[in-house]
Structures are given as structure tokens and as C-alpha cells.
């Protein structure tokens, strides 16, 4: 039994309802609301909090591989959904055998994108395999695929066909480009999306031999696309509550990257309207062409931000700090004093944003003369206390060993069968009423029999499927 304590601070008194966990899950909470200030706390018999996962009871059929799709479905699993991953018999997701650190074991690439899921090996080219998927879809809330353009349709599981199988299923798909694109039939990988989405053209240095399109180290094309699809799927679940019917949610990798390059389109329009971009490092010494140039480490807004060398930079390529000089007089004055240039506060050459545009390189040099005397963390501690926006450049080794990130669940240690413990990135959102439990990724086909029985297959039928290599080759 759980106790749901319902209280009101509006003078209507308190209520205490005794409910078992099953009834609680299906309870229409709106019927309990006494006033807008109502609050509810679920307490178990031991006095601790019982946390209900947001997507508990939602079943997801995950026909995705590599990164864009699995990043989406892993988040659904972390939020409590039952995610069943369909994998090719015998080999599974390609990332199981890519970039191995321990020969013969599933690679970190796979493990870090497939936690909390169940795995079923399935030959989707066989009639029996298609029947298994059909049965699964009849029990599903969400179906997600990211195979190459046309592949799923060719196998008989287009949006139209799946909608006939189960009208309540929400169908999520990831492709490189949207249907109206001239590249709609082209396969896309992470760098392809970054290049086609405007990120590569606007990232990197703007002069010399390094003036080349550069992709970000962050997975703007893959995981970012997965998070965009996640938003669409969650919205579709809310819509289904109103309509009772599932819908088709398509997310292109190009569109996801373009969405994150929104301010670059802003700059392009400003350039076309004014012929100049004063906030970029090229101004005032260089002329602008008809498209925005790459801009190094500029902040991107009207404020003046840059990445500066710190003490020890000669031996540590990440001994850098990012500092932003804000436009408003008060925070600018605090920064000017801290770096040893209080004269800037009253000097019209420096004390307005427009004036600083004209001498930005001089300001960059002066700030770096200060930062090169100090450790990056020391700088952040000093300037942070003064309200100056700043942050150290952290290497992945520093992030891996950051105790604060482990404490809050951003870096998580997972116990994986056969392998032992490995580190992964945990759930980025933090909830007051729910903490995702990051669990092991599935072994290939680990849950095949379990899943088949859930959709009505007998032991004899499962054995027959195995003998034909429809499952678990």
C-alpha cells in the first residue's frame, strides 16, 4: 500500500486517501484537486518517496540503430517507457562491434546509447519476423525507425500500414532530409547533417589554411536530432490524449541542425540588410562578402565573448577560459576592475558596446594578458563571484572525473553484464519527483523469449522461430 497525502492550505481541510500502487497509477488526479495550491506527496510504508516514472506504461518499439534513433529511444526508456529494441539476427546494432576497447564485448558506442532497453533479435525480411513485429505494434504506443530512406516502407511497415495495424501508435521517423528536399533519398551521417544544416559552414577559423568548414565535436546531427524527435513524440502523446489516435512524426537531421543554427540565419539576414556584422571578430578591419564568415570563438550575440589562454596553456591544450563582457555598465565595470583596467569604465573608447566594437582586438589582448597569469579555475572563481559570465574549458578527462557531475547523475557508472562497470552520460533533465535509474544495456537478443511470450507465442512456437533463424541466429 502507498499513502497519497492530499492537503490544501486554503482552509478546506485535509484529506487522506489510502490507495494501492495499481489504483494510484490509474487515478485521475484532477478529481482530487481542492484548490490551485493543492500538493500531493506519495509515501511508501518505509517513509521514503515513491517516484512514478513519467512514461511508465508506455511501450516503444525501437527499430533504430547507431546514434540518432537510439539516443531518442534511450531517453524514452530513462523516462520509464518499456523500450523493445529490434536488432538484426546474429549481429545486432552495428555499434555493438564498433570502436571496441575490449575485444569480444559490446562497444561503448552501443552501451552509452542503449541503456534500460530490452533487445529482441528478429529477421525482418522473413514473413514470420514481420508477423512478430505486427504483434508487437498491436501492443505499442510508439514506433521509432531511422533506417535509410524507403527501407521500412519496402518491408511493409510504412506509416500508412502501421496506422492500419494500430491506429493509436505514434510513428516516429528520422531521415537525413525532409521529403521536399532534393536530397530526400540520400543517406545521412552525423557530419553530413552538420554540413547540410549550416553548422560546418559557420564553425571554425576564418583565415589562413584553417579557414575550412568544420564540424562540431558535439553530435549536432545525430543525438541532437534524436532529442528533437523526442520532443515531437512527447507532444504526440499529449495530442493522443485529446484525439485518441496516433500520428506520424518526422524529424530530419538537416532540420534539427538548422534549428540550432538559428542565430546564424539571423546574422545572414543582418549582413544582407546592413552589409556588416559588427559583433564578429572581422570587424572593423576586414570587409564582408555576401555570406556570413566563420567567426572563431565569438560569443554570437551583441556581448563581447572570447576564449582566452590561461596559465599553463603551453603544455595543456585545454588551459583556456571563456569570458563574456556584458553590455550593461555595472557588469562591464566589475569585469574591467577584475582584469586590471578600471580606466575603461569612464573612457568613451571602451564604456559602450558600440565603442568596444571598434577596439575589440585591443580588448581581447588586454583580457588575455590577465588570464595568462592565472589558472583557469582560479579565474572562474574570481570573476564568477563578481557576476562575470565565464567558464573553464573542460577536457573530457576532467568531465569524467568531476565529482559534482557524478553526484547529480550527469556522469553515471553502470554495471554491465560480462563487461563490468562503465561510465555513461545520465539523464540531462533533473526532476524533483523522479530520478531515472540508469540500467545496463541489453545483450544481443537477451529478451527475445520474454518479449515473444508477451505477445502470445508459446514455447514450441518460439523454438520453431529459433530453428528457422527468424530470431536469435
Amino acid at each position: 500500500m502507498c499513502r497519497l497525502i492530499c492537503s490544501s492550505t486554503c482552509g478546506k481541510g485535509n484529506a487522506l486517501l489510502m490507495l494501492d500502487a495499481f489504483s494510484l497509477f490509474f487515478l485521475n488526479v484532477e478529481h482530487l484537486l481542492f484548490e490551485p495550491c493543492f500538493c500531493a506527496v506519495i509515501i511508501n510504508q518505509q517513509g521514503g518517496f515513491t517516484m512514478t516514472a513519467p512514461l511508465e506504461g508506455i511501450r516503444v518499439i525501437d527499430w533504430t540503430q547507431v546514434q540518432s534513433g537510439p539516443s531518442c529511444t534511450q531517453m524514452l526508456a530513462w523516462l520509464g517507457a518499456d523500450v523493445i529494441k529490434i536488432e538484426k539476427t546474429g549481429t545486432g546494432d552495428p555499434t555493438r562491434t564498433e570502436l571496441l576497447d575490449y575485444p569480444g564485448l559490446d562497444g561503448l558506442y552501443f552501451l552509452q546509447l542503449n541503456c534500460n532497453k530490452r533487445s529482441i533479435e528478429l529477421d525482418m525480411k522473413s514473413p514470420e519476423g514481420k508477423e512478430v513485429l505486427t504483434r508487437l505494434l498491436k501492443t505499442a504506443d510508439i514506433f521509432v525507425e531511422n533506417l535509410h530512406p524507403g527501407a521500412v516502407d519496402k518491408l511493409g511497415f510504412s506509416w500508412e500500414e502501421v496506422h492500419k495495424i494500430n491506429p493509436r501508435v505514434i510513428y516516429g521517423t528520422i531521415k537525413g532530409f525532409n521529403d521536399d528536399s532534393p536530397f530526400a533519398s540520400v543517406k545521412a551521417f552525423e557530419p553530413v547533417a552538420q554540413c547540410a544544416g549550416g553548422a560546418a559552414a559557420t564553425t571554425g577559423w576564418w583565415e589562413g589554411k584553417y579557414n575550412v568548414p568544420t564540424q562540431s565535436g558535439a553530435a549536432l546531427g545525430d543525438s541532437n536530432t534524436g532529442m528533437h524527435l523526442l520532443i515531437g513524440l512527447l507532444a504526440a502523446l499529449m495530442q493522443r490524449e485529446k484525439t485518441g489516435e496516433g500520428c506520424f512524426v518526422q524529424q530530419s537531421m538537416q532540420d534539427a541542425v538548422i534549428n540550432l543554427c538559428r542565430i546564424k540565419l539571423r546574422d545572414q539576414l543582418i549582413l544582407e540588410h546592413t552589409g556588416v556584422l559588427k559583433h564578429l571578430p572581422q570587424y572593423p578591419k576586414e570587409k564582408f562578402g555576401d555570406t556570413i564568415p566563420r567567426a572563431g570563438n565569438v560569443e554570437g550575440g551583441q556581448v563581447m565573448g572570447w576564449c582566452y589562454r590561461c596559465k599553463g596553456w603551453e603544455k595543456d591544450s585545454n588551459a583556456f577560459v571563456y569570458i563574456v563582457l556584458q553590455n550593461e555598465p555595472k557588469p562591464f565595470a566589475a569585469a574591467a576592475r577584475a582584469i586590471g583596467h578600471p580606466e575603461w569604465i569612464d573612457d568613451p573608447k571602451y564604456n559602450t558596446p558600440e565603442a568596444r566594437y571598434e577596439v575589440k582586438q585591443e580588448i581581447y589582448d588586454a583580457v588575455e594578458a590577465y588570464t595568462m597569469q592565472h589558472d583557469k579555475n582560479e579565474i572562474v572563481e574570481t570573476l564568477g563571484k563578481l557576476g562575470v559570465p565565464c567558464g573553464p574549458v573542460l577536457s573530457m578527462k576532467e568531465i569524467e572525473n568531476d565529482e559534482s557531475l557524478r553526484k547529480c547523475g550527469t556522469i553515471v557508472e553502470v554495471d554491465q553484464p560480462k563487461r563490468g562497470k562503465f561510465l555513461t552520460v545520465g539523464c540531462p533533465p533533473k526532476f524533483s519527483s523522479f530520478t531515472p535509474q540508469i540500467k545496463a544495456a541489453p545483450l544481443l537478443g537477451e529478451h527475445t523469449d520474454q518479449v515473444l511470450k508477451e505477445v502470445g507465442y508459446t514455447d514450441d512456437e518460439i523454438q520453431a522461430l529459433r530453428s528457422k533463424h527468424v530470431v536469435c541466429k
Side-chain angles (χ1 to χ4, degrees), residues 262-280 288-293 300-302 357:
R262 183 179 301 268
I263 65 168
K264 299 304 181 181
L265 177 58
R266 173 207 67 191
D267 286 351
Q268 180 64 36
L269 296 175
I270 292 173
L271 179 62
E272 292 172 3
H273 296 160
T274 68
V276 67
L277 294 168
K278 292 185 177 181
H279 60 290
L280 297 194
F288 289 85
D290 62 358
T291 188
I292 63 169
Q302 186 172 324
Y357 282 150

Side-chain angles (χ1 to χ4, degrees), residues 85 105 299 370 406 413:
K85 184 178 179 70
L105 298 179
E299 193 273 342
Y370 159 76
R406 299 205 182 197
E413 190 174 67

Side-chain angles (χ1 to χ4, degrees), residues 206-372:
W206 68 90
E207 58 187 357
K209 65 179 182 178
Y210 297 112
N211 182 14
V212 295
T214 305
Q215 66 167 312
S216 168
L220 304 182
D222 275 333
S223 285
N224 170 51
T225 301
M227 295 305 99
H228 275 76
L229 179 62
L230 174 71
I231 294 168
L233 296 175
L234 295 177
L237 279 173
M238 294 296 295
Q239 183 188 58
R240 194 181 69 175
E241 291 298 306
K242 300 178 176 71
T243 66
E245 191 170 5
C247 70
F248 181 67
V249 183
Q250 183 181 42
Q251 179 63 61
S252 84
M253 297 168 74
Q254 182 189 41
D255 288 357
V257 175
I258 290 174
N259 187 41
L260 295 192
C261 291
R262 183 179 301 268
I263 65 168
K264 299 304 181 181
L265 177 58
R266 173 207 67 191
D267 286 351
Q268 180 64 36
L269 296 175
I270 292 173
L271 179 62
E272 292 172 3
H273 296 160
T274 68
V276 67
L277 294 168
K278 292 185 177 181
H279 60 290
L280 297 194
Q282 291 86 344
Y283 182 85
K285 295 183 178 181
E286 300 177 27
K287 292 184 178 181
F288 289 85
D290 62 358
T291 188
I292 63 169
R294 288 175 274 281
N297 288 315
V298 73
E299 193 273 342
Q302 186 172 324
V303 297
M304 186 173 292
W306 199 253
C307 199
Y308 298 98
R309 292 177 291 177
C310 299
K311 186 176 182 180
W313 69 271
E314 300 92 343
K315 295 182 179 179
D316 181 358
S317 60
N318 291 302
F320 282 75
V321 66
Y322 202 95
I323 298 174
V324 175
L325 302 181
Q326 293 177 268
N327 295 328
E328 295 78 11
K330 186 175 180 180
F332 174 74
R337 292 191 191 95
I339 65 175
H341 286 277
E343 71 278 6
W344 288 354
I345 298 171
D346 298 315
D347 189 336
K349 182 180 177 181
Y350 306 100
N351 65 4
T352 66
E354 286 293 328
R356 291 194 284 274
Y357 282 150
E358 306 299 323
V359 291
K360 59 166 64 82
Q361 190 57 53
E362 180 182 338
I363 293 175
Y364 288 155
D365 292 342
V367 175
E368 191 164 73
Y370 159 76
T371 61
M372 289 177 66

Side-chain angles (χ1 to χ4, degrees), residues 59-123:
R59 171 168 282 187
V60 179
I61 307 305
D62 175 13
W63 197 2
T64 71
Q65 58 184 14
V66 190
Q67 185 175 175
S68 64
S71 64
C72 172
T73 53
Q74 178 174 251
M75 187 67 77
L76 290 170
W78 285 348
L79 296 179
D82 174 22
V83 177
I84 300 172
K85 184 178 179 70
I86 297 173
E87 300 194 67
K88 185 177 180 180
T89 54
T91 56
D93 191 307
T95 58
R96 284 186 181 272
T97 56
E98 291 183 8
L99 305 174
L100 299 183
D101 54 338
Y102 293 116
L105 298 179
D106 289 329
L108 288 167
Y109 198 0
F110 175 83
L111 299 179
Q112 292 186 337
L113 289 160
N114 291 281
C115 290
N116 293 56
K117 301 179 184 180
R118 296 196 285 168
S119 169
I120 174 173
E121 287 182 82
L122 197 57
D123 178 6

Side-chain angles (χ1 to χ4, degrees), residues 37-219:
C37 55
F38 164 88
C39 65
V41 180
I42 302 170
I43 306 177
N44 63 24
Q45 288 179 324
Q46 287 73 39
F49 290 103
T50 298
M51 300 180 292
T52 300
L55 297 183
E56 184 176 321
I58 297 297
R59 171 168 282 187
V60 179
I61 307 305
D62 175 13
W63 197 2
T64 71
Q65 58 184 14
V66 190
Q67 185 175 175
S68 64
S71 64
C72 172
T73 53
Q74 178 174 251
M75 187 67 77
L76 290 170
W78 285 348
L79 296 179
D82 174 22
V83 177
I84 300 172
K85 184 178 179 70
I86 297 173
E87 300 194 67
K88 185 177 180 180
T89 54
T91 56
D93 191 307
T95 58
R96 284 186 181 272
T97 56
E98 291 183 8
L99 305 174
L100 299 183
D101 54 338
Y102 293 116
L105 298 179
D106 289 329
L108 288 167
Y109 198 0
F110 175 83
L111 299 179
Q112 292 186 337
L113 289 160
N114 291 281
C115 290
N116 293 56
K117 301 179 184 180
R118 296 196 285 168
S119 169
I120 174 173
E121 287 182 82
L122 197 57
D123 178 6
M124 283 308 305
K125 293 183 179 180
S126 68
E128 296 91 342
K130 293 177 182 179
E131 172 59 25
V132 171
L133 179 55
T134 298
R135 291 198 193 185
L136 285 170
L137 288 171
K138 289 179 179 179
T139 72
D141 296 282
I142 298 174
F143 174 58
V144 188
E145 66 87 15
N146 73 337
L147 305 189
H148 65 78
V152 173
D153 293 20
K154 185 177 179 180
L155 291 169
F157 293 94
S158 64
W159 153 244
E160 292 78 12
E161 292 304 314
V162 169
H163 192 59
K164 291 176 185 176
I165 294 168
N166 183 353
R168 286 182 56 80
V169 166
I170 295 161
Y171 190 122
T173 182
I174 290 174
K175 295 292 176 279
F177 303 89
N178 64 61
D179 290 342
D180 296 321
S181 170
F183 312 120
S185 62
V186 175
K187 293 181 182 180
F189 278 42
E190 164 74 41
V192 173
Q194 289 203 31
C195 288
T202 55
T203 301
W205 224 248
W206 68 90
E207 58 187 357
K209 65 179 182 178
Y210 297 112
N211 182 14
V212 295
T214 305
Q215 66 167 312
S216 168

